[in-house]
């Protein structure tokens, strides 16, 4: 056998015929075979400075390896260059506190994260109700508010106490919005009203809570009222492009003419919301006014204005143009007279003044500029009944056109 055959690599301590490659490696070199199962143990006499460039790579599972065999690796705990180190598994190393060395020196505590209190109480944020005029949410011009309570006298919120100046501002905004709203197609107005119903449906829980508190109803009963109010909006949305078919006509005349009668919106309508139904009654008097192409100045129920003020938020985020609906809260006896006497208001609904001498006074003031007046029902209203088309037709005027037929 050749001399080369006696040596496998010449680097592991086997004598070489050349006299160089067979030189025995000194103590502490890689020539000493490692014991099985202790490959992580430092060899006797080795120091970090004398490590060979071709050191055996760490196998899978040794410390420093990120491979899947990390749990099976071992680590020497003896001093560098010493012998007899105790092999530790990587799982044991992971149990050491972060930042500690082999000597077990404790790491300093982290102070970058402030300690959280054990018990925190959320801050109650009370809702601020505001007026709705010209698409904006101002406070009352007078700066006044009044307390709104439930039927038991428990405080619910502070509502703006509108002044006569607020009423005049609302009429100005409604008049400015009238040409655009009345000039829109009836189909488009129906789409807008349906959009209002959609957004009201998304806030049904809020409306139910406000109605329950305002009217002293149970949660189930208040939820049913809210659903009925949303259905009422959809009802009037469907009537916008059909009212002309029942209110208009082609009239027979003795002559070579076409005689056509068509309904048109009246203009700016002041609406006094009913006092006994804060949402369903409110929608029942407001929706027919705007469905016919009118603009409205709404005076919310004095005792329960919160659902009306919340409905204004729905109107602001729907497709209703600014100024089409303006919502005021406050004393009906204070806001009714300036609206009834206002020369730029074309009609007034006195439903909210029913059962008091105020209705007769407002009707007399409305006669000064020949306003259309809808009187309150003598025996009250059943807001859950079929609304019909009576309120739609009340605030529509009929225009008749004569046109020659030709020869």
């Amino acid at each position: 056998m050749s001399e080369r055959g006696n040596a496998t690599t010449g680097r592991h301590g086997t004598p070489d015929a050349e006299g160089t490659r067979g030189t025995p490696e000194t103590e502490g070199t890689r020539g000493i075979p490692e014991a099985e199962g202790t490959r992580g143990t430092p060899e006797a006499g080795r120091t970090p400075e004398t490590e060979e460039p071709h050191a055996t790579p760490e196998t899978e599972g040794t410390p420093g390896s990120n491979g899947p065999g990390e749990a099976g690796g071992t680590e020497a705990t003896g001093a560098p260059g010493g012998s007899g180190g105790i092999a530790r598994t990587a799982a044991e190393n992971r149990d050491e506190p972060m930042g500690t060395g082999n000597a077990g020196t404790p790491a300093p505590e982290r102070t970058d994260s402030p300690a959280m209190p054990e018990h925190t109480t959320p801050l109650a944020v009370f809702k601020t109700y505001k007026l709705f005029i010209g698409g904006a949410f101002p406070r009352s011009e007078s700066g006044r508010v009044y307390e709104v309570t439930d039927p038991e006298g428990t405080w619910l919120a502070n509502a703006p106490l509108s002044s006569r100046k607020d009423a005049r501002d609302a009429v100005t905004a409604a008049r400015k919005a009238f040409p655009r709203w009345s000039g829109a197609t009836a189909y488009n107005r129906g789409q807008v009203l349906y959009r209002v119903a959609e957004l009201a449906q998304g806030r049904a829980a809020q409306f139910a809570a406000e109605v329950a508190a305002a009217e002293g109803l149970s949660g189930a009963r208040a939820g049913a009222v809210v659903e009925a109010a949303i259905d009422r909006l959809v009802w009037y949305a469907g009537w916008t492009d059909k009212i002309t078919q029942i209110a208009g006509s082609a009239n027979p005349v003795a002559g070579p003419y076409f005689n056509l009668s068509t309904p048109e919106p009246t203009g700016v309508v002041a609406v006094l919301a009913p006092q006994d139904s804060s949402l369903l009654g409110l929608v029942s008097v407001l929706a027919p006014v705007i469905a016919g192409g009118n603009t409205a100045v709404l005076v919310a129920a004095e005792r329960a204005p919160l659902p009306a003020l919340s409905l204004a938020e729905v109107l602001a985020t729907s497709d209703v143009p600014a100024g089409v609906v303006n919502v005021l809260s406050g004393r009906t006896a204070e806001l009714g007279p300036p609206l009834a006497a206002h020369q730029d208001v074309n009609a007034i609904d006195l439903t909210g003044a029913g059962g008091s001498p105020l209705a007769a006074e407002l009707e007399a003031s409305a006669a000064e500029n020949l306003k259309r007046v809808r009187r309150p029902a003598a025996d009250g209203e059943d807001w859950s009944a079929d609304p019909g088309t009576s309120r739609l037709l009340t605030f529509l005027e009929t225009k008749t056109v004569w046109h020659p037929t030709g020869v």
Side-chain angles (χ1 to χ4, degrees), residues 271 273-274 277-287 298-300 307-308 311 383:
V271 180
S277 181
S278 60
L279 185 63
L280 179 56
L282 165 75
V283 170
S284 298
V285 298
L286 175 64
L298 174 71
V299 179
L311 181 63
W383 301 113

Side-chain angles (χ1 to χ4, degrees), residues 84-385:
I86 302 174
R88 297 182 58 185
T89 64
E92 293 173 334
N93 291 334
R94 282 197 298 269
D95 293 335
E96 282 189 0
M98 182 180 296
T100 62
N102 291 335
T105 304
E109 295 184 1
R110 296 184 61 181
T111 59
D112 54 348
S113 300
M116 295 297 294
E118 295 182 1
H119 302 286
T120 58
T121 302
L123 178 64
V125 179
F126 293 103
K127 182 174 180 179
T128 302
Y129 291 89
K130 297 183 181 180
L131 307 178
F132 185 54
I133 300 175
F137 290 93
R139 290 179 170 83
S140 173
E141 172 271 339
S142 64
R144 301 177 299 170
V145 297
Y146 71 103
E147 292 187 354
V148 179
T149 63
D150 65 9
E152 303 297 326
T154 304
W155 178 87
L156 298 176
N158 288 335
L161 186 58
S162 303
S163 65
R164 294 189 296 173
K165 175 64 165 56
D166 295 318
R168 292 195 297 268
D169 290 342
V171 173
T172 301
R175 176 58 63 189
K176 183 178 180 180
F178 177 71
R180 177 185 176 186
W181 184 242
S182 61
T185 64
Y187 180 75
N188 178 247
R189 291 198 297 269
Q191 288 180 312
V192 171
L193 275 175
Y194 190 83
R195 176 64 175 165
V196 174
E198 287 180 343
L199 296 181
Q201 181 71 63
R203 300 178 67 166
Q206 175 191 347
F207 282 118
E210 291 177 341
V211 170
E215 301 179 23
L217 304 178
S218 66
R221 176 58 181 159
V225 169
V226 173
E227 290 300 322
I230 294 171
D231 288 345
R232 192 63 47 88
L233 286 168
V234 176
W235 163 274
Y236 282 112
W239 269 109
T240 55
D241 59 349
K242 301 173 182 65
I243 191 64
T244 300
Q245 301 173 34
I246 65 170
S249 62
N251 308 312
V253 293
Y257 303 101
F258 289 118
N259 186 267
L260 306 175
S261 296
T262 58
E264 288 188 345
T266 296
V268 176
V269 180
V271 180
L272 307 184
Q275 305 294 332
D276 59 344
S277 181
S278 60
L279 185 63
L280 179 56
L282 165 75
V283 170
S284 298
V285 298
L286 175 64
V289 171
I290 60 177
N294 302 288
T295 56
V297 177
L298 174 71
V299 179
E302 179 177 336
R303 185 181 58 82
L306 303 187
L309 298 176
S310 293
L311 181 63
E313 297 172 3
V314 171
L315 297 171
T317 54
S318 65
D319 298 326
V320 179
V324 171
V325 178
N326 305 272
V327 182
L328 306 175
S329 60
R331 312 297 183 198
T332 303
E334 181 180 355
L335 298 174
L339 290 174
H342 202 295
Q343 298 299 302
D344 208 17
V345 173
N346 303 108
I348 187 169
D349 185 343
L350 300 177
T351 300
S356 68
L358 179 62
E361 297 175 9
L362 298 180
E363 185 175 354
S365 297
E368 294 182 6
N369 68 331
L370 304 179
K371 289 181 179 66
R372 287 177 173 264
V373 176
R374 182 177 178 93
R375 295 171 175 166
D379 54 353
E381 299 269 4
D382 181 7
W383 301 113
S384 62

Side-chain angles (χ1 to χ4, degrees), residues 21-45:
R21 298 183 63 184
T23 305
E25 295 180 347
T26 59
E27 183 180 359
T29 63
R30 299 298 298 276
I32 301 174
E34 296 175 350
E36 184 177 358
T38 59
R39 298 193 58 183
T41 306
E43 301 170 13

